[in-house]
Amino acid sequence: MIQVAIMGHGVVGSGVAEIITTHKKKLFASLGEEIYIKKILDLREFPDSPLSDRFTKDFNDILNDAEIRVVAEVMGGTNPAYDYTKQLLKAGKSVVTSNKELVAAKGAELIEIAKNNNANFLFEASVGGGIPILRPLFQCLVANNVKEIAGILNGTTNFILSKMINDGMDFDTALKLAQDLGFAERNPEADVEGHDACRKICILASLAYGKHIYPDNIHTEGITNISLKDVEYASQYKSVIKLIGDVKLLENGKIDIFVSPMLIGKKSQLANIRDEFNGIVVRGDCTDDVLFYGKGAGSLPTASAVVADVIDSCMHLKERKYLYWADSNNESVLPYNESRTRMYLRVDTPNALDKINELFGEVYVVASDDELAIATDLMTISQIESNIEKLEQDGVKVLSKIRISDL
Amino acid sequence: MIQVAIMGHGVVGSGVAEIITTHKKKLFASLGEEIYIKKILDLREFPDSPLSDRFTKDFNDILNDAEIRVVAEVMGGTNPAYDYTKQLLKAGKSVVTSNKELVAAKGAELIEIAKNNNANFLFEASVGGGIPILRPLFQCLVANNVKEIAGILNGTTNFILSKMINDGMDFDTALKLAQDLGFAERNPEADVEGHDACRKICILASLAYGKHIYPDNIHTEGITNISLKDVEYASQYKSVIKLIGDVKLLENGKIDIFVSPMLIGKKSQLANIRDEFNGIVVRGDCTDDVLFYGKGAGSLPTASAVVADVIDSCMHLKERKYLYWADSNNESVLPYNESRTRMYLRVDTPNALDKINELFGEVYVVASDDELAIATDLMTISQIESNIEKLEQDGVKVLSKIRISDL
């Protein structure tokens, strides 16, 4: 019997407790031992829980219990999760977490502490919820140089964009529906502004390229400015608009990473990822494109990934797993201005094409009615921005600009 | 430095040698040691290979070399691969393979031998080529009871069906094109008759349910009878025809497993798996549907999965991985006659609807022109077959019958 603890009894934490309780047979078959939940840390009371006798409000009950070997941290946020995780790892306990904020902010440090204390720090659930992605990336795809990872990493924004695309709902109405259905928080900023996706693409980038990429200063653009007009023009361009977290390794060794809405060709696998689902494409130099798809959030999907990490930690009590990346100061991240892309532009002046050609060279005209929508050739963000500035000096208002993906 | 050997220098084997040679840096970063190819077994001569000094025609050069710890078996077929693999495992060497025929026929026995000799027997590349699927299934999804696995597991047939669906090509023309492009063998039987897909769904089923499911006596239906008329009617039913390997665990503990063409709704993720690509849906009780997509064959994709297993074996030289299933005699496999499904039927008699209703009850009329196409309700294969027999006694010829998927 291996004794474990769970910190947090919210959406994910209660799912972890439920799976360990209801899937005893399946877990025993894999592990060959029983998993026993010894303690659950939460400040709230759960008198009706079948595990009500295991609850504690004192973190030290877990830290100081030598029998507890593995701890699932599912509290969310960095405080006190960071401090608790550090103390547990230093005590030689393995910690598994679904906490992307913690991993994105402190991953390198916690991995290093785990390594030094011969413990494991695993976080499959922090990206893609129940979708297997981190383990496939660092185990199954280990023989590939990863050229690019691009993903729909946030279910809330994908739900909203799907409603805009398929039902012609405007952003505000779709957001409200997402909130009513429980797919979006009352304060939706972390989702709709792209911060959640940014944490996830940073974790994927860190794992793929072996050094910690911090979310700070990574270009992060949300979907609040996407209009139904853009959705319609995108469709005329045989594309859909998706919020994409993207990272590529350039030939000069720089890492081009950003979160941004993008026009995705309708034949792309990513275009078919609908509603609250997530999808992640890994472009390996041997495998070409491999895609992982499923529910990126929710109690049981996410909890099942946490429990898989618990099992893996229980199997490696005496031996570390080889998940590793080094710390860095983001020095290899390409400044966003130097990122190259094709760009969709929508302007308020239908007859601005000559001016646009003058500045951007040949462009593809997506639509021309009371407004003008075009697609530029490949150029750097700084070239695009400087051209836009000149356009606006000439009285042409740029109503929207959206990157065009080549995936 | 860890010394390895490769048995077979064909499409996959040469890819394995190439990746280990060209991806030294990436592999070293993961493993922390260099991998050295000491021997390559092949009866042919490769004087121009940069590794020409490593070739041998004598299996004993590998078996008796105590320094060789891990062997990649990429010869294909069961003979002599089975005998060689057995001897290597008994000598305590780990074996990794892309050989689905070997794993489907002898997996349980070889896993047991590996276990008894504290060696590893890994075969990620045997299903889905470069797509990570086995490791995600037994590690990441370990906390799920797997309700169903359904996959497009054969790239050749998916390419042919895609040409029929998208370009209106008939089966023979599409097969010829596949052969010309190198997607199909000169003798395409193993692909087009479904045997290749059957081996793969059996491997997935064995892993998911912990007991060996042998391909013998599993209902296996290929795509040679699919006509353009069926493709057209399927489209009117908002579906596409795909060759699906499918396994479900029923509530009575029976395993319902088969390979068959199926009508898949166009909104299903599987419907969007085009051309030579593979896609596999795993329906977990916690995660719901998770999909894995990518190239299911080809030299470098498949070889990269073999190399990932080599790395994993190198990391577990002293310790077994926990991949395991027990032997069985297929006693838990549901007789195909008892399998329940909705069925698409095409008959030559447009006015046979009354008779059909009499036999099948209410049906959905897919098309009615010079022929009649209908979709039945859920019933067992034996009910459907007995009704078809009665129809034909009444002079109604059933031109095709295709299962309808609910995925």
Side-chain angles (χ1 to χ4, degrees):
Chain A
M1 189 172 75
I2 298 179
Q3 302 193 14
V4 305
I6 305 169
M7 302 199 297
H9 199 64
V11 174
V12 180
S14 60
V16 171
E18 181 182 335
I19 292 175
I20 293 178
T21 311
T22 57
H23 286 59
K24 269 195 185 317
K25 211 173 145 185
K26 178 76 165 68
L27 299 177
F28 185 86
S30 299
L31 182 57
E33 288 200 69
E34 208 182 315
I35 295 180
Y36 178 78
I37 302 172
K38 191 160 187 195
K39 291 285 171 204
I40 301 174
L41 179 70
D42 205 296
L43 293 178
R44 297 164 293 176
E45 311 266 347
F46 296 89
D48 300 333
S49 161
L51 302 171
S52 60
D53 57 320
R54 325 283 174 85
F55 280 84
T56 175
K57 292 174 182 157
D58 184 357
F59 167 67
N60 290 306
D61 285 349
I62 294 172
L63 179 66
N64 298 327
D65 188 329
E67 289 178 335
I68 294 174
R69 306 293 300 275
V70 178
V71 180
E73 183 285 297
V74 281
M75 319 171 77
T78 51
N79 185 18
Y82 168 54
D83 179 49
Y84 286 0
T85 300
K86 218 162 42 168
Q87 290 191 59
L88 291 165
L89 291 172
K90 284 184 177 169
K93 296 184 200 300
S94 288
V95 178
V96 308
T97 185
S98 58
N99 188 335
K100 57 227 163 202
E101 206 177 330
L102 177 66
V103 179
K106 303 289 181 185
E109 182 188 350
L110 294 170
I111 290 170
E112 193 68 34
I113 295 173
K115 186 180 163 200
N116 293 336
N117 291 278
N118 205 30
N120 281 299
F121 180 58
L122 300 176
F123 39 84
E124 179 65 65
S126 67
V127 180
I131 308 170
I133 174 66
L134 300 187
R135 207 171 259 97
L137 184 59
F138 80 87
Q139 292 196 344
C140 307
L141 300 175
V142 63
N144 283 266
N145 292 312
V146 175
K147 297 199 284 190
E148 183 167 2
I149 301 175
I152 295 170
L153 298 164
N154 179 275
T156 307
T157 44
N158 203 45
F159 177 86
I160 292 171
L161 289 172
S162 295
K163 288 290 152 198
M164 294 175 74
I165 293 165
N166 302 323
D167 303 340
M169 225 177 251
D170 65 25
F171 174 82
D172 291 329
T173 313
L175 170 60
K176 176 142 192 337
L177 178 63
Q179 286 172 323
D180 291 347
L181 292 172
F183 291 140
E185 311 268 348
R186 284 299 121 193
N187 177 356
E189 196 189 320
D191 292 320
V192 299
E193 299 292 359
H195 302 305
D196 176 75
C198 183
R199 289 172 192 137
K200 292 169 179 169
I201 194 68
C202 283
I203 295 171
L204 290 167
S206 304
L207 198 54
Y209 299 122
K211 48 191 143 198
H212 198 118
I213 307 294
Y214 289 92
D216 325 320
N217 307 319
I218 301 298
H219 176 83
T220 302
E221 207 180 316
I223 61 163
T224 51
N225 292 327
I226 304 295
S227 71
L228 284 177
K229 199 89 195 192
D230 295 317
V231 168
E232 184 195 320
Y233 286 157
S235 181
Q236 291 179 29
Y237 192 57
K238 298 194 189 309
S239 298
V240 292
I241 299 172
K242 295 284 183 186
L243 183 66
I244 302 289
D246 193 295
V247 62
K248 299 196 243 298
L249 185 62
L250 304 181
E251 280 181 15
N252 62 9
K254 289 285 182 190
I255 292 172
D256 187 7
I257 179 171
F258 59 86
V259 172
S260 166
M262 294 185 98
L263 265 66
I264 306 274
K266 283 182 185 173
K267 287 198 166 172
S268 159
Q269 287 294 319
L270 286 177
N272 291 312
I273 313 293
R274 280 179 288 256
D275 302 330
E276 75 275 23
F277 286 83
N278 287 16
I280 301 152
V281 170
V282 179
R283 182 165 282 183
D285 65 342
C286 297
T287 53
D288 284 347
D289 288 0
V290 174
L291 175 121
F292 303 86
Y293 163 93
K295 286 196 175 160
S299 175
L300 289 183
T302 308
S304 82
V306 173
V307 176
D309 275 350
V310 169
I311 296 284
D312 207 4
S313 297
C314 289
M315 284 176 172
H316 291 86
L317 284 178
K318 288 173 197 154
E319 192 211 29
R320 280 201 69 250
K321 293 281 296 181
Y322 31 95
L323 184 160
Y324 186 77
W325 66 63
D327 205 359
S328 90
N329 54 7
N330 277 18
E331 76 285 348
S332 52
V333 172
L334 185 81
Y336 187 65
N337 265 338
E338 297 173 26
S339 182
R340 285 168 64 81
T341 185
R342 301 178 63 221
M343 190 69 90
Y344 154 97
L345 294 177
R346 178 163 64 93
V347 304
D348 67 347
T349 320
N351 60 7
L353 192 56
D354 286 347
K355 266 180 212 153
I356 287 175
N357 281 332
E358 230 170 79
L359 291 162
F360 288 88
E362 202 72 45
V363 298
Y364 180 89
V365 177
V366 173
S368 173
D369 39 44
D370 55 327
E371 297 175 348
L372 175 66
I374 58 106
T376 74
D377 232 332
L378 264 185
M379 49 185 74
T380 64
I381 294 291
S382 75
Q383 284 173 309
I384 294 167
E385 290 298 344
S386 119
N387 288 342
I388 288 177
E389 208 169 296
K390 286 176 197 151
L391 269 184
E392 302 216 318
Q393 282 163 2
D394 277 356
V396 179
K397 193 161 180 333
V398 174
L399 301 168
S400 51
K401 60 170 199 287
I402 306 175
R403 287 183 77 125
I404 300 173
S405 167
D406 58 0
L407 276 165
Chain B
M1 188 171 75
I2 299 180
Q3 303 192 14
V4 305
I6 305 170
M7 301 198 299
H9 198 65
V11 173
V12 179
S14 60
V16 171
E18 181 182 335
I19 292 174
I20 293 179
T21 311
T22 56
H23 287 60
K24 272 197 182 314
K25 210 172 146 185
K26 178 75 165 63
L27 300 176
F28 185 87
S30 299
L31 183 57
E33 286 200 72
E34 208 183 315
I35 295 180
Y36 178 79
I37 301 172
K38 192 161 187 195
K39 291 283 171 208
I40 301 175
L41 179 70
D42 204 295
L43 293 178
R44 295 165 294 175
E45 311 266 347
F46 296 89
D48 299 333
S49 160
L51 301 172
S52 59
D53 58 319
R54 325 283 173 84
F55 279 84
T56 175
K57 291 172 182 159
D58 184 357
F59 167 66
N60 290 304
D61 286 349
I62 293 171
L63 179 65
N64 298 326
D65 188 329
E67 289 179 336
I68 294 174
R69 307 293 301 274
V70 178
V71 180
E73 185 284 298
V74 281
M75 320 172 75
T78 51
N79 185 20
Y82 168 54
D83 179 49
Y84 287 0
T85 300
K86 219 163 43 169
Q87 290 192 57
L88 291 166
L89 291 171
K90 283 184 177 168
K93 297 184 199 301
S94 288
V95 179
V96 308
T97 185
S98 58
N99 189 335
K100 55 227 164 201
E101 209 178 328
L102 178 67
V103 178
K106 304 288 181 184
E109 183 189 350
L110 294 170
I111 290 169
E112 193 68 34
I113 296 173
K115 187 180 162 201
N116 293 336
N117 290 278
N118 206 30
N120 281 299
F121 179 59
L122 301 176
F123 39 85
E124 179 65 65
S126 67
V127 181
I131 309 170
I133 174 64
L134 301 187
R135 206 170 259 100
L137 185 60
F138 81 85
Q139 291 195 343
C140 307
L141 300 175
V142 63
N144 283 266
N145 293 311
V146 174
K147 297 198 284 190
E148 183 169 3
I149 302 176
I152 295 171
L153 298 165
N154 179 274
T156 306
T157 44
N158 203 46
F159 177 86
I160 293 170
L161 290 171
S162 296
K163 288 292 153 196
M164 294 175 74
I165 294 165
N166 302 323
D167 302 339
M169 225 177 253
D170 65 24
F171 174 81
D172 291 327
T173 314
L175 170 59
K176 176 140 192 340
L177 178 62
Q179 286 172 322
D180 291 347
L181 291 173
F183 291 141
E185 312 268 348
R186 284 301 120 191
N187 177 355
E189 195 189 321
D191 292 321
V192 299
E193 298 292 359
H195 302 306
D196 176 76
C198 183
R199 290 173 191 137
K200 291 168 179 171
I201 194 68
C202 283
I203 295 172
L204 290 167
S206 303
L207 198 54
Y209 299 124
K211 48 191 143 196
H212 198 118
I213 307 295
Y214 289 92
D216 325 319
N217 306 320
I218 300 299
H219 177 84
T220 302
E221 206 180 317
I223 61 164
T224 51
N225 292 327
I226 303 295
S227 71
L228 284 176
K229 199 89 195 192
D230 295 318
V231 169
E232 183 195 320
Y233 286 158
S235 180
Q236 290 178 30
Y237 193 56
K238 296 193 190 311
S239 297
V240 290
I241 299 173
K242 295 284 184 185
L243 182 66
I244 301 290
D246 193 294
V247 62
K248 298 196 245 295
L249 184 63
L250 303 180
E251 279 181 15
N252 62 8
K254 289 284 181 192
I255 291 172
D256 187 6
I257 179 169
F258 59 86
V259 172
S260 167
M262 295 186 97
L263 265 66
I264 306 274
K266 284 184 185 172
K267 286 199 167 170
S268 158
Q269 287 294 318
L270 286 177
N272 292 311
I273 313 292
R274 278 180 289 256
D275 301 328
E276 75 275 22
F277 287 84
N278 287 15
I280 302 152
V281 170
V282 179
R283 183 166 280 183
D285 66 340
C286 297
T287 53
D288 285 348
D289 288 0
V290 174
L291 175 121
F292 303 86
Y293 163 94
K295 287 195 174 160
S299 175
L300 290 182
T302 308
S304 83
V306 174
V307 175
D309 276 350
V310 169
I311 296 284
D312 207 5
S313 297
C314 289
M315 284 175 171
H316 291 85
L317 286 179
K318 290 174 197 153
E319 190 210 29
R320 279 201 69 252
K321 294 280 297 185
Y322 31 93
L323 184 160
Y324 185 77
W325 67 63
D327 203 358
S328 91
N329 55 5
N330 277 16
E331 77 283 349
S332 52
V333 172
L334 185 80
Y336 187 65
N337 265 339
E338 296 174 26
S339 182
R340 285 168 63 81
T341 185
R342 301 178 62 220
M343 191 69 90
Y344 154 97
L345 295 178
R346 176 163 66 91
V347 304
D348 67 348
T349 320
N351 61 7
L353 192 57
D354 285 348
K355 268 179 212 153
I356 287 174
N357 281 331
E358 232 171 76
L359 292 162
F360 288 88
E362 201 74 45
V363 298
Y364 180 89
V365 176
V366 174
S368 175
D369 38 46
D370 54 327
E371 297 175 348
L372 174 67
I374 59 105
T376 75
D377 231 334
L378 263 184
M379 49 186 74
T380 64
I381 294 291
S382 75
Q383 285 174 308
I384 294 167
E385 291 297 344
S386 120
N387 287 343
I388 287 177
E389 208 170 296
K390 287 177 195 149
L391 269 183
E392 301 215 321
Q393 282 163 1
D394 278 355
V396 178
K397 190 159 185 320
V398 175
L399 302 168
S400 52
K401 60 172 200 285
I402 306 175
R403 289 183 75 126
I404 301 172
S405 166
D406 58 359
L407 276 164

